[in-house]
Amino acid sequence: MMHNPLRDPRDRRIPRLAGPCVLVLFGVTGDLASKKLLPAIYDLANRGLLPPGFSMVGFARRDWADEDFAQLTHDAIKAHARTPFREDVWYQLCEGIRFVPGEFADDEAFDLLAQTVKQLDAERGTGGNYAFYLSIPPKAFPQVVQQLKRSGLSTPPEAAGGVQPWRRVVIEKPFGHDLASAQELNAMLDAVFPPSAVFRIDHYLGKETVQNLLAVRFANTLFEPIWNRRYVDHVQITMAEDIGIGGRAGYYDGIGAARDVIQNHLLQLMALTAMEEPLSFAAEGLRAEKEKVLAAVTIPDDLATGTARGQYSAGWQGGIPVVGYLEEQGIPADSTTETYAAVRLTIDNRRWAGVPFYLRTGKRLPTRMTEIAVLFQRAPHLPFDATETEELGQNALVIRVQPDEGVTLRFGSKVPGSAMEVRDVNMDFAYGESFTESSPEAYERLLLDVLIGDPPLFPRQEEVELSWTILDPIEDFWSTCAKPDQYAAGSSGPRSADELLARDGRSWRRL
Amino acid sequence: MLTDLTDTTAADIRAALRHTRDQMGAPATGVVLNLIIKTDESGQHDAVRAAGQAGREHPCRVLAVISRDPRATSRLDAEIRTGEGTPGQTVLLRLYGPMGEHADSVVMPLLVPDTPVVTWWHGSLPAIPSALPLGALAQRRITDAARAQAPPEALAALAAGYRPGDTDLSWTRATPWRSLLAATLDQVTDEITGGTVSAEEQNPTADLLAAWLSQRMGVPIGREDSGGPGITDVKLTTSAGDITIDRPDGRVATFSRPGQPDRHVALHRRDIAELLAEELRRLDPDEVYGETLAAAAGIPVTS
């Protein structure tokens, strides 16, 4: 790329901006589109991060005109955008909104789509750069991808005037339901798009706190010396949800908590927590380190004692009576799908040998929260009486991913008074209170990265496959077991999960 | 919560700040910077309001220094506002008599420790911001040449007295234009041979923008007067034709490039709170501003 004299690395007021392009959205009528994607696009436009002429095409099975899609976008923005609504920004965005009605099987609809984006190139100068966002069920992927190929949409034209137009495709989890299906999905994408054009969205990686984990670890001298088996006792990574499965019965049953959450979010968080320092924060460096550490993950020898799974039964959640999983609409009464999963993993390398990583996730737990807690070993000797340190726990560094994003450091401190008594206290850093910049929403950040073509925050196929390699034997084992353990909705999980830690002389952090 | 202290001292204000904090049960943390505002009685309302809005993004301890009659006997009146819809605390300090010359002695004990200090002159424009006691305290000094009687002379004076850490809101106003122009040049491969920036008369932002473009691209950039509001258009001449960004109404711009359709871009003029919020985002010296200011004033840049 030619050097741009107006760009200067010292000039940090000028933001990264996407180049001219069209975003083609499949599945615009879905929840994700109206709650996250469309508002994020507006917020990007409002922050001045989208290029002049940026255009958006919606594709769905609706008998709609452009105005109907614009109306849907308008409503979604009004309801969910984070930045204030501005008429002039909306005007700019609205000019580039198009809609193409059709079924995924309909050749004509895709030909119309191809025509529409071409027209946008001519009318709005989008330069033949298209990003396809597949916010659709995975079973529809092959059909859509094939249609993109057939209609010529997936093939960028020859470079004109020294600039090569690009094509990118964005997919959401699940990336398969086991190793074989993940490979199959990849082969299907691979036949149409080069690997560098495929962006797999794991929205957790777009979160500020997750990226901050890298800053905390690698920008400070304070933490890295103790970030190893000599000081760390164990690590707990939790993603708890207070909601049930809601309207996702069709997707969720047969998938379960481990495939839905552990395979992607939790293993990614674990990789970022445990990986070595990357050569740089460019995509290659980051992915190489994540892959190394994922490849070093080992599962328990005895899966019966090293894993736990559960299914919520009827109970009270936050003061409201709720039904059990088996009574949820659309769930067969004999379903063995787990809504809670916990595993004990270890990492076979010099830094982490012998340090267990406990991963847990579940639905209908008391609160919604995601955190990474690094718990440190107790001091080898305490020059106090046992009674003086009765209330002293383990030192801990907790990265709160959501809600209430921030970092907590927990350590012992003297209780005021004439006697010596040590108790745990918290030192707290909260994003909302300590930063001079409001953090962008995860989807905002990720969408911008897609449009700019910046891949570090997107997992690569190798990482997806490594994650399935870790999870597949566990799923195989579970499929041979009887039903998952029941836990009352609103409680903090099945007893077997508590026993999993109790066997190691540890306990879960309170939810 | 409002606390009024008449004929008081910095120590009493500190005690009152701690007392209100204890009463409200809010912890000591949660303030990311100290913002000293040098203003006068007529400007304090707008300045404190803007700081309060920027404070939603950057919770700060605002210390508004208001000089009163310099011939009176020395006296300090303070008004403490906490929890009035914005995070952080605001203290209005009214300095009477000779004390007005020693505002730093009042402000220093009231700064939150371990937290950066920014000084903003709202109204009066100091010749050398860093040479003033309130400027010397700060790592970042914000002025606004657009509020001066004669902005071009004001820019020249700021350039002569520039020290790293200085910044001016007329430069902040240029950011949306600059990012749009930088993004444009990401795409354009034709050689740029010159251009113009048009704006209302005596617009310091236009002067800085023209100086920046000229200095970065090494081509002459003219400066033309138009009726405003603010900057109305920027034109870059290339071998293939003109690239123009035309904003007649201060809200929406039309972007034209040779061989491409015209496009609209939202490019609204931002209010003072938004400008302040951008300024407070980065607290390290803005070298590009320093170089551009020097170029605008015709001072050769030495690096």
Side-chain angles (χ1 to χ4, degrees):
Chain A
M1 200 177 178
M2 227 183 64
H3 174 66
N4 179 348
L6 298 185
R7 293 224 183 259
D8 182 331
R10 297 171 307 162
D11 192 348
R12 289 178 299 146
R13 289 176 195 259
I14 300 190
R16 303 181 310 151
L17 234 73
C21 58
V22 182
L23 178 67
V24 181
L25 271 175
F26 292 95
V28 291
T29 51
D31 237 20
L32 185 76
S34 58
K35 284 204 179 124
K36 296 286 185 187
L37 299 179
L38 298 172
I41 288 165
Y42 171 81
D43 288 333
L44 286 173
N46 203 4
R47 292 180 210 269
L49 300 177
L50 294 182
F54 171 83
S55 305
M56 186 167 74
V57 183
F59 186 101
R61 199 178 53 196
R62 289 281 194 289
D63 194 12
W64 278 358
D66 293 346
E67 297 77 47
D68 298 304
F69 179 44
Q71 187 60 43
L72 173 99
T73 309
H74 183 267
D75 295 346
I77 291 167
K78 282 257 168 143
H80 300 290
R82 287 158 45 105
T83 55
F85 187 83
R86 263 180 214 287
E87 210 53 59
D88 39 357
V89 175
W90 167 243
Y91 172 64
Q92 175 193 346
L93 199 59
C94 185
E95 279 188 327
I97 292 182
R98 303 287 182 275
F99 185 79
V100 174
E103 309 253 357
F104 296 148
D106 184 357
D107 286 1
E108 258 172 57
F110 277 83
D111 292 340
L112 181 61
L113 179 64
Q115 219 178 326
T116 308
V117 290
K118 258 217 184 76
Q119 217 168 345
L120 283 170
D121 287 342
E123 282 170 20
R124 316 235 331 137
T126 41
N129 303 310
Y130 313 140
F132 303 101
Y133 197 116
L134 309 189
S135 180
I136 50 175
K139 63 176 188 297
F141 283 0
Q143 202 170 20
V144 171
V145 170
Q146 272 315 307
Q147 285 283 18
L148 292 176
K149 186 176 182 184
R150 188 201 57 77
S151 55
L153 277 166
S154 61
T155 328
E158 291 294 303
V163 189
Q164 170 69 51
W166 50 257
R167 297 287 187 272
R168 290 176 195 138
V169 64
V170 187
I171 57 170
E172 292 262 350
K173 68 159 197 184
F175 311 125
H177 52 86
D178 57 13
L179 181 60
S181 58
Q183 285 169 334
E184 198 179 304
L185 169 70
N186 190 54
M188 188 269 297
L189 286 167
D190 220 21
V192 180
F193 293 97
S196 61
V198 181
F199 288 76
R200 294 174 185 79
I201 286 210
D202 184 331
H203 69 271
Y204 264 65
L205 302 188
K207 285 189 184 287
E208 205 61 51
T209 14
V210 174
Q211 294 159 48
N212 185 40
L213 178 58
L214 301 177
V216 167
R217 284 194 58 196
F218 301 121
N220 297 302
T221 48
L222 200 55
F223 304 114
E224 201 51 25
I226 54 169
W227 211 260
N228 55 53
R229 66 186 305 272
R230 287 185 63 188
Y231 294 96
V232 175
D233 178 62
H234 71 285
V235 177
Q236 294 187 15
I237 303 179
T238 302
M239 176 178 156
E241 290 177 287
D242 51 359
I243 52 167
I245 52 157
R248 293 171 75 215
Y251 161 72
Y252 199 85
D253 196 59
I255 295 289
R259 287 193 181 100
D260 190 36
V261 174
I262 293 184
Q263 183 269 333
N264 36 59
H265 306 321
L266 295 195
L267 283 175
Q268 283 287 334
L269 293 184
M270 176 175 169
L272 292 170
T273 309
M275 72 181 193
E276 298 297 318
E277 182 175 272
L279 283 173
S280 78
F281 288 106
E284 278 311 306
L286 211 55
R287 286 163 162 180
E289 292 307 331
K290 282 200 285 178
E291 281 164 29
K292 262 166 63 188
V293 76
L294 284 172
V297 169
T298 48
I299 58 171
D301 293 332
D302 181 5
L303 289 170
T305 55
T307 68
R309 59 183 194 140
Q311 206 176 50
Y312 62 84
S313 57
W316 286 76
Q317 207 285 318
I320 298 163
V322 293
V323 299
Y325 179 71
L326 298 178
E327 294 107 57
E328 294 272 10
Q329 205 171 1
I331 300 295
D334 59 349
S335 172
T336 58
T337 301
E338 83 279 358
T339 62
Y340 179 103
V343 291
R344 175 193 199 276
L345 299 175
T346 44
I347 298 174
D348 282 350
N349 63 22
R350 180 172 284 235
R351 186 190 285 263
W352 295 114
V355 178
F357 282 70
Y358 300 100
L359 276 51
R360 67 173 159 165
T361 180
K363 291 194 177 289
R364 284 276 184 240
L365 296 175
T367 53
R368 167 177 170 265
M369 73 92 149
T370 303
E371 64 167 33
I372 303 164
V374 179
L375 289 107
F376 294 93
Q377 295 168 17
R378 285 171 193 279
H381 167 72
L382 292 170
F384 304 96
D385 287 340
T387 50
E388 291 170 349
T389 55
E390 246 172 21
E391 288 182 85
L392 176 67
Q394 280 172 293
N395 293 165
L397 181 78
V398 183
I399 313 237
R400 298 191 305 272
V401 178
Q402 75 175 13
D404 197 16
E405 298 156 289
V407 181
T408 300
L409 191 62
R410 195 164 170 75
F411 57 95
S413 194
K414 182 184 169 300
V415 179
S418 55
M420 175 49 94
E421 192 189 336
V422 182
R423 186 189 292 169
D424 283 341
V425 293
N426 286 338
M427 206 151 78
D428 214 38
F429 147 67
Y431 259 80
E433 286 178 359
S434 314
F435 262 104
T436 58
E437 280 189 75
S438 55
S439 51
E441 216 271 330
Y443 274 99
E444 235 179 282
R445 170 73 202 264
L446 294 173
L447 272 170
L448 184 64
D449 280 4
V450 168
L451 300 180
I452 291 176
D454 197 17
L457 297 180
F458 300 88
R460 190 157 57 170
Q461 176 63 13
E462 285 79 356
E463 293 164 56
V464 174
E465 293 189 12
L466 283 166
S467 306
W468 284 122
T469 313
I470 296 165
L471 199 60
D472 276 356
I474 297 172
E475 289 283 355
D476 288 346
F477 167 75
W478 283 345
S479 66
T480 64
C481 301
K483 304 191 90 174
D485 306 315
Q486 299 285 307
Y487 63 98
S491 72
S492 47
R495 184 173 306 167
S496 53
D498 295 338
E499 286 162 358
L500 164 65
L501 261 73
R503 275 191 286 274
D504 296 344
R506 302 189 175 99
S507 60
W508 291 110
R509 285 168 50 79
R510 194 185 70 224
L511 283 174
Chain B
M1 192 166 148
L2 291 172
T3 313
D4 259 319
L5 300 170
T6 311
D7 200 359
T8 183
T9 63
D12 286 345
I13 299 172
R14 261 176 84 111
L17 276 169
R18 179 176 298 154
H19 179 71
T20 48
R21 200 182 66 206
D22 288 350
Q23 269 198 330
M24 298 177 63
T29 55
V31 170
V32 290
L33 58 93
N34 295 285
L35 176 62
I36 303 170
I37 308 176
K38 181 75 179 74
T39 180
D40 52 28
E41 207 58 73
S42 65
Q44 57 95 354
H45 177 77
D46 290 341
V48 169
R49 208 177 108 92
Q53 281 169 349
R56 283 178 221 278
E57 201 177 317
H58 320 269
C60 43
R61 177 172 286 180
V62 176
L63 302 169
V65 177
I66 304 161
S67 292
R68 301 287 300 212
D69 183 3
R71 284 160 302 177
T73 39
S74 277
R75 194 180 94 209
L76 174 62
D77 288 355
E79 191 181 322
I80 303 171
R81 301 177 189 168
T82 36
E84 298 290 307
T86 50
Q89 307 128 342
T90 302
V91 186
L92 269 61
L93 301 161
R94 290 188 170 84
L95 279 58
Y96 292 81
M99 188 193 279
E101 299 298 310
H102 302 281
D104 55 315
S105 74
V106 177
V107 164
M108 272 204 307
L110 298 178
L111 297 173
V112 180
D114 270 334
T115 307
V117 180
V118 177
T119 302
W120 173 30
W121 283 269
H122 180 263
S124 65
L125 196 71
I128 306 176
S130 59
L132 294 174
L134 287 182
L137 282 176
Q139 62 197 92
R140 188 98 177 180
R141 295 168 292 274
I142 306 172
T143 52
D144 189 356
R147 294 174 65 92
Q149 297 283 344
E153 285 78 38
L155 277 189
L158 286 172
Y162 174 80
R163 297 285 179 283
D166 287 1
T167 176
D168 194 272
L169 293 181
S170 58
W171 174 243
T172 322
R173 290 186 185 95
T175 304
W177 286 93
R178 295 197 306 123
S179 38
L180 187 56
L181 287 161
T184 307
L185 257 65
D186 284 340
Q187 309 295 328
V188 172
T189 48
D190 304 312
E191 197 195 339
I192 287 159
T193 54
T196 50
V197 175
S198 308
E200 60 192 311
E201 270 180 78
Q202 302 225 328
N203 180 307
T205 303
D207 296 345
L208 289 171
L209 184 62
W212 176 69
L213 286 169
S214 170
Q215 193 195 33
R216 293 283 141 183
M217 300 194 296
V219 299
I221 301 288
R223 175 73 178 78
E224 283 176 8
D225 287 337
S226 69
I231 298 176
T232 50
D233 80 82
V234 174
K235 185 166 76 187
L236 299 177
T237 310
T238 76
S239 43
D242 286 351
I243 300 169
T244 61
I245 303 172
D246 188 21
R247 185 188 68 176
D249 63 352
R251 286 163 50 86
V252 178
T254 308
F255 175 85
S256 322
R257 254 183 77 178
Q260 289 208 359
D262 287 0
R263 280 157 268 177
H264 291 120
V265 200
L267 202 65
H268 63 272
R269 306 182 75 194
R270 296 178 296 171
D271 64 21
I272 202 99
E274 285 176 89
L275 298 175
L276 192 61
E278 176 184 321
E279 252 345 293
L280 299 181
R281 244 166 247 162
R282 311 242 184 267
L283 298 175
D284 54 331
D286 184 345
E287 293 110 331
V288 178
Y289 165 69
E291 292 169 12
T292 306
L293 183 64
I299 302 171
V301 178
T302 51
S303 52

